[in-house]
Amino acid sequence: ITAGDFDLGKQSAQIEDFITRKVDAIIVCPVDSRGVGPAIRKANEAHIPVFTADIAAQEGETVCHVASDNIAGGRLAGEFLAKALNGQGSIAIIGQPTVTSVLDRVQGFKEAIAKFPGLKIVADVNGEGVRDKAMQAAADILQSHPDLDGIFGINDDSALGALDAVQQFKRDKLSIVGYD
């Protein structure tokens, strides 16, 4: 078991190491849905079955992908935030656009929010899925949008980073919804 630590080069090297060790199968949670493709193709060429979990790969052959329905989850997050804001206000999204599951979450979230004409998405930024970068992204949003009412964080670290920024700016009336 290894961790890619949000580093595509590291994850690709780990997959290549598994290929060299002639493992029977590889299960990967891609740190970059498209970027992991060359490593998966190398495993394909070595006839090692590859499975993806939580995050799909956009390139290479996989036997199976196991994940939750991220579009539906994003919709639920959007509906929840809309209810918390009584269908009115400005919202920001702290995302991670290199990951397919996140793109699906954001798609579902935006579909839900679109049903509430009183809600407006004023920012959609990349927090890279890590707490410190999400905190900085949220701080930037709070400075440019002092009237912000809600934030959708695409994972725990994004929501917690947003919470850190909200507490720093003493914006205790702002609602945060996180996925994961």
Side-chain angles (χ1 to χ4, degrees):
I1 298 174
T2 60
D5 297 324
F6 297 103
D7 181 333
L8 178 60
K10 181 177 181 179
Q11 186 170 65
S12 296
Q14 291 167 338
I15 293 171
E16 289 177 19
D17 180 55
F18 290 149
I19 294 167
T20 302
R21 292 171 40 201
K22 297 181 178 5
V23 298
D24 293 321
I26 298 171
I27 302 170
V28 63
C29 299
V31 300
D32 182 316
S33 295
R34 186 171 309 284
V36 77
I40 290 176
R41 283 194 299 274
K42 286 180 183 176
N44 297 153
E45 291 166 7
H47 304 289
I48 297 173
V50 177
F51 300 79
T52 53
D54 189 41
I55 300 167
Q58 293 177 333
E59 296 181 16
E61 299 282 328
T62 57
V63 174
C64 179
H65 175 64
V66 179
S68 56
D69 184 337
N70 287 289
I71 293 174
R75 282 187 197 119
L76 290 171
E79 291 165 3
F80 186 86
L81 187 56
K83 183 177 179 181
L85 298 176
N86 294 316
Q88 299 290 321
S90 58
I91 298 171
I93 299 170
I94 299 180
Q96 185 183 8
T98 60
V99 177
T100 56
S101 59
V102 171
L103 294 171
D104 289 346
R105 291 172 193 178
V106 171
Q107 175 188 335
F109 181 82
K110 287 180 176 179
E111 287 173 6
I113 294 302
K115 296 177 183 174
F116 298 88
L119 292 174
K120 181 180 178 188
I121 298 172
V122 296
D124 185 350
V125 300
N126 183 2
E128 298 182 32
V130 293
R131 190 170 181 160
D132 61 336
K133 294 188 183 201
M135 181 181 82
Q136 184 57 53
D140 292 346
I141 293 167
L142 290 168
Q143 288 177 357
S144 20
H145 299 281
D147 60 339
L148 191 70
D149 299 296
I151 297 175
F152 172 49
I154 53 83
N155 66 5
D156 290 344
D157 279 344
S158 297
L160 291 169
L163 177 62
D164 292 340
V166 165
Q167 290 173 336
Q168 178 183 353
F169 282 80
K170 298 180 182 5
R171 296 284 309 279
D172 60 343
K173 302 289 185 213
L174 194 141
S175 296
I176 301 170
V177 173
Y179 190 110
D180 264 353

